[in-house]
Structures are given as C-alpha cells and as structure tokens.
Amino acid sequence: MGGDPWALLRDATRARVALGRAGDGLPTARELEFRAAHAAARDAVHTALDADLVRAALTAACVGLDVLEVHSQAPDRATYLQRPDLGRRLAEGTELPGGAADLALVLADGLSPRAVHEHAAGTVAAVLERLPGWSVAPVVLAHQARVALGDPVGEALGAGIVVVVVGERPGLSSADSLGLYLTFAPRPGRADSERNCISNVRPPHGLGYAQAADTLVALLQASRELGASGVVLKDEGTALPPGAA
C-alpha cells in the first residue's frame, strides 16, 4: 500500500490529526502550522468589532432592517475578557426603541468578532428569507457582549424571541466560528438552560448559512408554538444534511 495512509483522514477533518514526528518533536511544518493557528485564535479574541464593516455586509446581503448599536458594561476588551459578568449587562443609560416584534436579532462580538465580520450577514439574510410574516425588530450590534446581553436587549425591544448571533471561543482550527443562541421571552435572569444553541456556523468548514438557518427557523417556529426554549425544546431535524454521511 503506497502513499500516506493518514491522508484520507486529514482531508476529512480540520482537526489536528496524524501530525507525524521529527525525533522527540513535531516536524517543522506542523509546528509552524500550530503557531499560526494559535496566533489566529489570539488575534480573533482581541480584535475589535468593526460596526461599519458589519453594516456594509448587512447592506450587501440585502438585509433591509435598521441597525442599532449598544455596549455592555465592559469598557474595553481587556475588562471584557477578565469580567464576563459585565459583558452580560447593558451599559448604563442605554436606550432602545420599545415596540412589539416576533423576533430580535443581536449580533454580538463575543470571543471572535472576526466570526461576526465574516459570517453574521450571510446568516441573518438566510434566516430572514425563511421567516415570511414574522415581525423583526431592528438589528442590534453589541460591543463587548456575552450571550446573556441579548436578554435585556430583547426585553427592551419588546421581542417575543431573541437570537444572539455571537462569535464563539476560537479553537486551533476554527478562529471564525459563529454561534446562534435562541431565548424565548427574553428578560434579565434567564438561565443558560433556557436557551438553544446552534454552533460552528462557518462555511465551508462548518455549518453553511442555509443549513444553520433551516435549523434555527425550525426551532423558532417550535419555540413560538411551545411558548418556551431551552431544555424543553428539542431539535428534531437531521444531524447531517443529505449525502453527508
């Protein structure tokens, strides 16, 4: 049997597998790849959210909603990383337009603003295409934000459900992964067990926008019918798209 027997496995995953060895260490190429991946993950965490870039991407994706901006109580990136609690609270004096909407969308920098820059607009556009008849509040861009910041935002906007589109913690093979967190009847104090999460939205290596949107919309419709979200709401869809097995 010729060739590298591990090549097929390496081609099928972004995970770091079958790296080989050079003496007691890694081959030079694999060591350099590791350092580059680690640097990309660190850069993703410390990058600032570029609101103008996200607005332009939303416009290019034909998302015709007003866009608002908010900040958490974390005044800067260093504080945000050291004080997760401050990232869950709106800055003092924040004002949002009240109303009544079926859905609010919060685009939060989280731990990878890069993921929001690259994937949020495509994800939002795919979701809205699948929600005819739903009223949607203005899109909110949230700086220095954790998932729970969506609770006071959704409540202030009068939304029945809030979806926080957030940059996930980077890994060594995924510095641009986006997460979608759904919470029914958002209000401060909601527990993580009252949310549903769709993770790893990052085509072409993770979920594509269409597949993520299909899953989210199914959960949104079921959540509205059930009047709840979280552990009582199950994703009944297939684990993999047709032909992926």
Side-chain angles (χ1 to χ4, degrees), residues 96-121:
L96 289 167
D102 295 322
L103 176 67
L105 295 166
V106 179
L107 310 188
D109 49 7
L111 291 171
S112 178
R114 172 183 165 184
V116 178
H117 296 160
E118 297 184 8
H119 302 304

PDB file of all heavy atoms in Angstrom, residues 96-121:
ATOM      1  N   LEU A  96     -33.227  51.907  24.039  1.00  0.00           N
ATOM      2  CA  LEU A  96     -33.619  51.213  22.821  1.00  0.00           C
ATOM      3  C   LEU A  96     -35.096  51.474  22.548  1.00  0.00           C
ATOM      4  O   LEU A  96     -35.876  51.622  23.492  1.00  0.00           O
ATOM      5  CB  LEU A  96     -33.375  49.706  22.960  1.00  0.00           C
ATOM      6  CG  LEU A  96     -31.914  49.259  22.971  1.00  0.00           C
ATOM      7  CD1 LEU A  96     -31.794  47.814  23.421  1.00  0.00           C
ATOM      8  CD2 LEU A  96     -31.291  49.440  21.586  1.00  0.00           C
ATOM      9  N   PRO A  97     -35.488  51.536  21.289  1.00  0.00           N
ATOM     10  CA  PRO A  97     -36.891  51.813  20.987  1.00  0.00           C
ATOM     11  C   PRO A  97     -37.786  50.633  21.355  1.00  0.00           C
ATOM     12  O   PRO A  97     -37.563  49.506  20.907  1.00  0.00           O
ATOM     13  CB  PRO A  97     -36.881  52.039  19.464  1.00  0.00           C
ATOM     14  CG  PRO A  97     -35.696  51.264  18.985  1.00  0.00           C
ATOM     15  CD  PRO A  97     -34.676  51.372  20.071  1.00  0.00           C
ATOM     16  N   GLY A  98     -38.770  50.877  22.190  1.00  0.00           N
ATOM     17  CA  GLY A  98     -39.710  49.832  22.557  1.00  0.00           C
ATOM     18  C   GLY A  98     -40.641  49.515  21.406  1.00  0.00           C
ATOM     19  O   GLY A  98     -40.707  50.224  20.400  1.00  0.00           O
ATOM     20  N   GLY A  99     -41.354  48.429  21.545  1.00  0.00           N
ATOM     21  CA  GLY A  99     -42.283  48.034  20.497  1.00  0.00           C
ATOM     22  C   GLY A  99     -42.774  46.635  20.746  1.00  0.00           C
ATOM     23  O   GLY A  99     -42.758  46.146  21.878  1.00  0.00           O
ATOM     24  N   ALA A 100     -43.195  45.981  19.696  1.00  0.00           N
ATOM     25  CA  ALA A 100     -43.647  44.594  19.770  1.00  0.00           C
ATOM     26  C   ALA A 100     -43.205  43.905  18.493  1.00  0.00           C
ATOM     27  O   ALA A 100     -43.567  44.328  17.395  1.00  0.00           O
ATOM     28  CB  ALA A 100     -45.156  44.517  19.936  1.00  0.00           C
ATOM     29  N   ALA A 101     -42.384  42.883  18.630  1.00  0.00           N
ATOM     30  CA  ALA A 101     -41.875  42.156  17.466  1.00  0.00           C
ATOM     31  C   ALA A 101     -41.825  40.675  17.791  1.00  0.00           C
ATOM     32  O   ALA A 101     -41.666  40.284  18.949  1.00  0.00           O
ATOM     33  CB  ALA A 101     -40.483  42.663  17.073  1.00  0.00           C
ATOM     34  N   ASP A 102     -41.955  39.880  16.763  1.00  0.00           N
ATOM     35  CA  ASP A 102     -41.822  38.438  16.969  1.00  0.00           C
ATOM     36  C   ASP A 102     -40.387  38.057  17.303  1.00  0.00           C
ATOM     37  O   ASP A 102     -40.151  37.139  18.095  1.00  0.00           O
ATOM     38  CB  ASP A 102     -42.249  37.678  15.701  1.00  0.00           C
ATOM     39  CG  ASP A 102     -43.712  37.859  15.373  1.00  0.00           C
ATOM     40  OD1 ASP A 102     -44.527  37.891  16.316  1.00  0.00           O
ATOM     41  OD2 ASP A 102     -44.043  37.988  14.177  1.00  0.00           O
ATOM     42  N   LEU A 103     -39.426  38.773  16.715  1.00  0.00           N
ATOM     43  CA  LEU A 103     -38.026  38.360  16.809  1.00  0.00           C
ATOM     44  C   LEU A 103     -37.103  39.558  16.896  1.00  0.00           C
ATOM     45  O   LEU A 103     -37.320  40.567  16.228  1.00  0.00           O
ATOM     46  CB  LEU A 103     -37.653  37.521  15.578  1.00  0.00           C
ATOM     47  CG  LEU A 103     -36.205  37.064  15.437  1.00  0.00           C
ATOM     48  CD1 LEU A 103     -35.841  36.070  16.527  1.00  0.00           C
ATOM     49  CD2 LEU A 103     -35.986  36.448  14.052  1.00  0.00           C
ATOM     50  N   ALA A 104     -36.068  39.434  17.714  1.00  0.00           N
ATOM     51  CA  ALA A 104     -34.968  40.397  17.732  1.00  0.00           C
ATOM     52  C   ALA A 104     -33.673  39.646  17.436  1.00  0.00           C
ATOM     53  O   ALA A 104     -33.470  38.518  17.902  1.00  0.00           O
ATOM     54  CB  ALA A 104     -34.873  41.094  19.086  1.00  0.00           C
ATOM     55  N   LEU A 105     -32.809  40.272  16.664  1.00  0.00           N
ATOM     56  CA  LEU A 105     -31.509  39.699  16.313  1.00  0.00           C
ATOM     57  C   LEU A 105     -30.411  40.583  16.880  1.00  0.00           C
ATOM     58  O   LEU A 105     -30.344  41.783  16.576  1.00  0.00           O
ATOM     59  CB  LEU A 105     -31.363  39.597  14.796  1.00  0.00           C
ATOM     60  CG  LEU A 105     -32.322  38.634  14.091  1.00  0.00           C
ATOM     61  CD1 LEU A 105     -32.308  38.889  12.585  1.00  0.00           C
ATOM     62  CD2 LEU A 105     -31.942  37.198  14.387  1.00  0.00           C
ATOM     63  N   VAL A 106     -29.558  39.988  17.702  1.00  0.00           N
ATOM     64  CA  VAL A 106     -28.441  40.709  18.310  1.00  0.00           C
ATOM     65  C   VAL A 106     -27.152  40.119  17.768  1.00  0.00           C
ATOM     66  O   VAL A 106     -26.890  38.922  17.925  1.00  0.00           O
ATOM     67  CB  VAL A 106     -28.469  40.594  19.844  1.00  0.00           C
ATOM     68  CG1 VAL A 106     -27.278  41.329  20.454  1.00  0.00           C
ATOM     69  CG2 VAL A 106     -29.775  41.141  20.396  1.00  0.00           C
ATOM     70  N   LEU A 107     -26.338  40.936  17.107  1.00  0.00           N
ATOM     71  CA  LEU A 107     -25.051  40.496  16.591  1.00  0.00           C
ATOM     72  C   LEU A 107     -23.985  40.913  17.599  1.00  0.00           C
ATOM     73  O   LEU A 107     -23.673  42.100  17.724  1.00  0.00           O
ATOM     74  CB  LEU A 107     -24.767  41.112  15.218  1.00  0.00           C
ATOM     75  CG  LEU A 107     -25.892  40.994  14.174  1.00  0.00           C
ATOM     76  CD1 LEU A 107     -25.393  41.476  12.813  1.00  0.00           C
ATOM     77  CD2 LEU A 107     -26.413  39.581  14.088  1.00  0.00           C
ATOM     78  N   ALA A 108     -23.463  39.947  18.329  1.00  0.00           N
ATOM     79  CA  ALA A 108     -22.555  40.219  19.449  1.00  0.00           C
ATOM     80  C   ALA A 108     -21.140  39.769  19.109  1.00  0.00           C
ATOM     81  O   ALA A 108     -20.942  38.660  18.585  1.00  0.00           O
ATOM     82  CB  ALA A 108     -23.051  39.479  20.694  1.00  0.00           C
ATOM     83  N   ASP A 109     -20.170  40.608  19.435  1.00  0.00           N
ATOM     84  CA  ASP A 109     -18.785  40.266  19.112  1.00  0.00           C
ATOM     85  C   ASP A 109     -18.333  38.993  19.806  1.00  0.00           C
ATOM     86  O   ASP A 109     -17.634  38.169  19.232  1.00  0.00           O
ATOM     87  CB  ASP A 109     -17.835  41.425  19.424  1.00  0.00           C
ATOM     88  CG  ASP A 109     -18.034  42.023  20.810  1.00  0.00           C
ATOM     89  OD1 ASP A 109     -18.812  41.480  21.616  1.00  0.00           O
ATOM     90  OD2 ASP A 109     -17.411  43.068  21.085  1.00  0.00           O
ATOM     91  N   GLY A 110     -18.720  38.806  21.068  1.00  0.00           N
ATOM     92  CA  GLY A 110     -18.329  37.603  21.791  1.00  0.00           C
ATOM     93  C   GLY A 110     -16.826  37.445  21.836  1.00  0.00           C
ATOM     94  O   GLY A 110     -16.076  38.417  21.984  1.00  0.00           O
ATOM     95  N   LEU A 111     -16.358  36.222  21.678  1.00  0.00           N
ATOM     96  CA  LEU A 111     -14.931  35.938  21.743  1.00  0.00           C
ATOM     97  C   LEU A 111     -14.278  35.835  20.370  1.00  0.00           C
ATOM     98  O   LEU A 111     -13.103  35.492  20.270  1.00  0.00           O
ATOM     99  CB  LEU A 111     -14.688  34.650  22.538  1.00  0.00           C
ATOM    100  CG  LEU A 111     -14.989  34.779  24.031  1.00  0.00           C
ATOM    101  CD1 LEU A 111     -14.944  33.418  24.713  1.00  0.00           C
ATOM    102  CD2 LEU A 111     -14.011  35.745  24.702  1.00  0.00           C
ATOM    103  N   SER A 112     -15.046  36.156  19.321  1.00  0.00           N
ATOM    104  CA  SER A 112     -14.462  36.208  17.983  1.00  0.00           C
ATOM    105  C   SER A 112     -15.224  37.199  17.121  1.00  0.00           C
ATOM    106  O   SER A 112     -16.102  36.817  16.330  1.00  0.00           O
ATOM    107  CB  SER A 112     -14.468  34.821  17.313  1.00  0.00           C
ATOM    108  OG  SER A 112     -13.945  34.911  15.995  1.00  0.00           O
ATOM    109  N   PRO A 113     -14.929  38.498  17.239  1.00  0.00           N
ATOM    110  CA  PRO A 113     -15.524  39.464  16.325  1.00  0.00           C
ATOM    111  C   PRO A 113     -15.288  39.104  14.863  1.00  0.00           C
ATOM    112  O   PRO A 113     -16.113  39.406  13.997  1.00  0.00           O
ATOM    113  CB  PRO A 113     -14.824  40.771  16.702  1.00  0.00           C
ATOM    114  CG  PRO A 113     -14.472  40.597  18.152  1.00  0.00           C
ATOM    115  CD  PRO A 113     -14.098  39.147  18.275  1.00  0.00           C
ATOM    116  N   ARG A 114     -14.188  38.441  14.584  1.00  0.00           N
ATOM    117  CA  ARG A 114     -13.906  38.011  13.208  1.00  0.00           C
ATOM    118  C   ARG A 114     -15.051  37.156  12.663  1.00  0.00           C
ATOM    119  O   ARG A 114     -15.418  37.279  11.493  1.00  0.00           O
ATOM    120  CB  ARG A 114     -12.600  37.219  13.177  1.00  0.00           C
ATOM    121  CG  ARG A 114     -12.312  36.560  11.835  1.00  0.00           C
ATOM    122  CD  ARG A 114     -11.042  35.735  11.871  1.00  0.00           C
ATOM    123  NE  ARG A 114     -10.957  34.844  10.719  1.00  0.00           N
ATOM    124  CZ  ARG A 114      -9.988  33.951  10.542  1.00  0.00           C
ATOM    125  NH1 ARG A 114      -9.013  33.838  11.439  1.00  0.00           N
ATOM    126  NH2 ARG A 114      -9.987  33.171   9.474  1.00  0.00           N
ATOM    127  N   ALA A 115     -15.613  36.285  13.492  1.00  0.00           N
ATOM    128  CA  ALA A 115     -16.721  35.436  13.044  1.00  0.00           C
ATOM    129  C   ALA A 115     -17.930  36.279  12.651  1.00  0.00           C
ATOM    130  O   ALA A 115     -18.620  35.982  11.669  1.00  0.00           O
ATOM    131  CB  ALA A 115     -17.095  34.450  14.141  1.00  0.00           C
ATOM    132  N   VAL A 116     -18.184  37.342  13.408  1.00  0.00           N
ATOM    133  CA  VAL A 116     -19.299  38.246  13.084  1.00  0.00           C
ATOM    134  C   VAL A 116     -19.016  38.981  11.784  1.00  0.00           C
ATOM    135  O   VAL A 116     -19.892  39.120  10.922  1.00  0.00           O
ATOM    136  CB  VAL A 116     -19.537  39.229  14.248  1.00  0.00           C
ATOM    137  CG1 VAL A 116     -20.655  40.208  13.914  1.00  0.00           C
ATOM    138  CG2 VAL A 116     -19.873  38.460  15.520  1.00  0.00           C
ATOM    139  N   HIS A 117     -17.785  39.453  11.628  1.00  0.00           N
ATOM    140  CA  HIS A 117     -17.407  40.148  10.401  1.00  0.00           C
ATOM    141  C   HIS A 117     -17.631  39.264   9.172  1.00  0.00           C
ATOM    142  O   HIS A 117     -18.121  39.724   8.133  1.00  0.00           O
ATOM    143  CB  HIS A 117     -15.935  40.551  10.446  1.00  0.00           C
ATOM    144  CG  HIS A 117     -15.606  41.532  11.516  1.00  0.00           C
ATOM    145  ND1 HIS A 117     -14.322  41.719  11.984  1.00  0.00           N
ATOM    146  CD2 HIS A 117     -16.384  42.382  12.233  1.00  0.00           C
ATOM    147  CE1 HIS A 117     -14.330  42.644  12.919  1.00  0.00           C
ATOM    148  NE2 HIS A 117     -15.578  43.063  13.097  1.00  0.00           N
ATOM    149  N   GLU A 118     -17.268  37.997   9.277  1.00  0.00           N
ATOM    150  CA  GLU A 118     -17.253  37.129   8.101  1.00  0.00           C
ATOM    151  C   GLU A 118     -18.576  36.408   7.847  1.00  0.00           C
ATOM    152  O   GLU A 118     -18.894  36.103   6.690  1.00  0.00           O
ATOM    153  CB  GLU A 118     -16.118  36.110   8.240  1.00  0.00           C
ATOM    154  CG  GLU A 118     -14.736  36.741   8.275  1.00  0.00           C
ATOM    155  CD  GLU A 118     -13.607  35.724   8.318  1.00  0.00           C
ATOM    156  OE1 GLU A 118     -13.887  34.510   8.160  1.00  0.00           O
ATOM    157  OE2 GLU A 118     -12.453  36.132   8.520  1.00  0.00           O
ATOM    158  N   HIS A 119     -19.349  36.121   8.907  1.00  0.00           N
ATOM    159  CA  HIS A 119     -20.481  35.212   8.720  1.00  0.00           C
ATOM    160  C   HIS A 119     -21.841  35.738   9.194  1.00  0.00           C
ATOM    161  O   HIS A 119     -22.860  35.126   8.875  1.00  0.00           O
ATOM    162  CB  HIS A 119     -20.205  33.890   9.448  1.00  0.00           C
ATOM    163  CG  HIS A 119     -18.957  33.198   9.008  1.00  0.00           C
ATOM    164  ND1 HIS A 119     -18.721  32.849   7.697  1.00  0.00           N
ATOM    165  CD2 HIS A 119     -17.853  32.815   9.704  1.00  0.00           C
ATOM    166  CE1 HIS A 119     -17.529  32.266   7.606  1.00  0.00           C
ATOM    167  NE2 HIS A 119     -16.990  32.230   8.805  1.00  0.00           N
ATOM    168  N   ALA A 120     -21.876  36.816   9.941  1.00  0.00           N
ATOM    169  CA  ALA A 120     -23.157  37.257  10.506  1.00  0.00           C
ATOM    170  C   ALA A 120     -24.148  37.688   9.428  1.00  0.00           C
ATOM    171  O   ALA A 120     -25.323  37.302   9.463  1.00  0.00           O
ATOM    172  CB  ALA A 120     -22.936  38.393  11.506  1.00  0.00           C
ATOM    173  N   ALA A 121     -23.712  38.477   8.468  1.00  0.00           N
ATOM    174  CA  ALA A 121     -24.638  38.999   7.453  1.00  0.00           C
ATOM    175  C   ALA A 121     -25.244  37.870   6.626  1.00  0.00           C
ATOM    176  O   ALA A 121     -26.454  37.841   6.375  1.00  0.00           O
ATOM    177  CB  ALA A 121     -23.918  39.996   6.548  1.00  0.00           C
TER     178      ALA A 121
END
